[in-house]
Amino acid sequence: MSELAGSGLPRPSWMNLPHAEPGNRVGLFGGSFNPPHSGHRLVAETAMRRLGLDQVWWLVTPGNPLKDHAELAPLARRIALTAATANHPRMRVTAFEAVLGTSYTASTLAGILQRRPDLSFCWIMGADNLAGFHRWQNWRDIVRAVPIAIVDRPGASLSPLFAPMAQAFGMARVPEPEAATLMQRRAPAWVFLHTPLDAASSTALRRKAARA
């Protein structure tokens, strides 16, 4: 739940869903962003450009259920850092998951789709998450809910060949040259986008900060 729950303080604007006009094509880019970095920005920019998105919403999660929270920075700090990283006129940052009271992507998607059925959504993620995607709660429901754009990350270029999700939904893969059609397709549909790689990682940045 929100760190502000029960505090009596008004809900900050970054906990609301961003504004979007009906019919907009919106990419949902979720993560802990602990901290955000240039690799995240490259993933968001690549998906926005290649898919012809009107907006990308960075969904800063209260806490990834599959990760240790011992080193997790406060939500408000991660929001501020993410906003600085996602400094683009068509990128928005929100912690709406805290309002929903969930850290699970399937539940988040269901809540957003229910509130904004007038928008076209896709899910964006770095390829480094693909290998473990089948461990996400109700992962098949995620694939069937919205199209998915998977952007290459260092060490993950072969993930579409071996990841359980890629194998289970192999028939739903969209050829990369047809990536611009992804938002016109009904789920399940996913595409793997190759791009110049950025080796930045949140883990490395936290270790560097700890040594400083």
Side-chain angles (χ1 to χ4, degrees):
M1 295 296 289
S2 165
E3 295 167 6
L4 300 176
S7 67
L9 297 174
R11 192 165 83 188
S13 60
W14 46 259
M15 292 184 72
N16 300 324
L17 279 181
H19 172 76
E21 295 295 328
N24 275 181
R25 294 165 296 182
V26 178
L28 302 174
F29 183 29
S32 302
F33 302 117
N34 184 45
H37 52 69
S38 56
H40 291 134
R41 172 66 181 246
L42 179 60
V43 168
E45 286 182 332
T46 298
M48 185 169 64
R49 183 182 71 257
R50 299 280 299 276
L51 305 182
L53 302 177
D54 297 298
Q55 292 187 34
V56 172
W57 294 357
W58 296 53
L59 306 178
V60 183
T61 179
N64 187 326
L66 297 179
K67 293 183 178 180
D68 182 4
H69 292 185
E71 297 182 341
L72 190 64
L75 179 59
R77 174 165 175 74
R78 288 184 286 124
I79 283 285
L81 292 173
T82 303
T85 303
N87 184 19
H88 187 283
R90 291 192 283 134
M91 294 186 186
R92 307 285 184 269
V93 177
T94 176
F96 189 67
E97 278 189 330
V99 176
L100 292 174
T102 181
S103 296
Y104 295 103
T105 298
S107 299
T108 299
L109 276 176
I112 293 176
L113 291 171
Q114 181 181 31
R115 286 162 176 79
R116 292 305 308 265
D118 57 328
L119 301 177
S120 296
F121 290 106
C122 71
W123 184 258
I124 301 168
M125 66 180 183
D128 46 342
N129 288 312
L130 183 56
F133 185 80
H134 63 288
R135 291 195 291 269
W136 295 20
Q137 186 182 72
N138 300 327
W139 66 275
R140 293 177 184 270
D141 292 342
I142 298 172
V143 181
R144 296 187 179 110
V146 294
I148 298 177
I150 302 163
V151 182
D152 202 3
R153 288 280 292 147
S157 297
L158 296 179
S159 54
L161 299 178
F162 304 108
M165 175 280 208
Q167 294 181 345
F169 289 92
M171 295 297 293
R173 183 175 181 179
V174 176
E176 187 171 1
E178 300 175 22
T181 70
L182 185 72
M183 299 301 292
Q184 304 164 20
R185 299 172 183 257
R186 295 186 61 179
W190 62 278
V191 67
F192 191 93
L193 302 175
H194 291 87
T195 186
L197 300 179
D198 184 322
S201 78
S202 296
T203 300
L205 289 172
R206 290 195 303 273
R207 289 173 178 169
K208 182 178 179 180
R211 293 194 300 266

